Amino acid sequence: MDRDKLRTVVEGIPAGSWMSYADVCVAAGGFADEARSVNQRLIQLEVAGAHRVLRADGRVAPTALGDPERARALLEEEGVAFDERDRASQDARLRLAEEAPV
């Protein structure tokens, strides 16, 4: 997966929206099974908007950016609603067909 494409995809997620790790991988030219490594790449690259990348079910990963509570707080500040199971609204999810071209 290309790091510049990864940065472009993640920085292109609008405030109040989110994408899954797998969708970000595919949009950045990688494969969905690379999703496990995306969090570390986002930390290393210090990508703006990285808090908008979540698990496919909408939950903030336990290791998200090294500070999952902060990632969730940033999403909530942007208006992303979470349900009683701590899942972000699927209405705020961007899917591959919707993301900006890279």
Side-chain angles (χ1 to χ4, degrees):
M1 168 180 7
D2 183 89
R3 17 183 307 160
D4 292 329
K5 284 185 181 180
L6 175 64
R7 180 181 301 281
T8 299
V9 169
V10 173
E11 289 178 349
I13 303 170
S17 299
W18 63 275
M19 284 181 75
S20 73
Y21 287 100
D23 282 349
V24 165
C25 287
V26 173
F31 300 97
D33 61 356
E34 293 179 273
R36 291 187 179 119
S37 68
V38 171
N39 185 55
Q40 280 303 322
R41 290 182 191 204
L42 295 174
I43 291 170
Q44 291 169 350
L45 296 171
E46 298 180 358
V47 178
H51 63 282
R52 298 183 187 122
V53 182
L54 304 176
R55 297 168 72 161
D57 65 0
R59 289 183 292 147
V60 176
T63 59
L65 305 176
D67 191 350
E69 292 82 18
R70 178 166 162 63
R72 179 177 171 145
L74 289 170
L75 287 164
E76 289 175 330
E77 286 175 19
E78 294 177 355
V80 175
F82 286 82
D83 67 15
E84 65 281 350
R85 292 191 213 168
D86 295 325
R87 295 177 301 193
S89 170
Q90 289 291 323
D91 292 338
R93 182 178 181 181
L94 292 182
R95 300 202 183 253
L96 286 176
E98 302 172 34
E99 98 260 342
V102 290

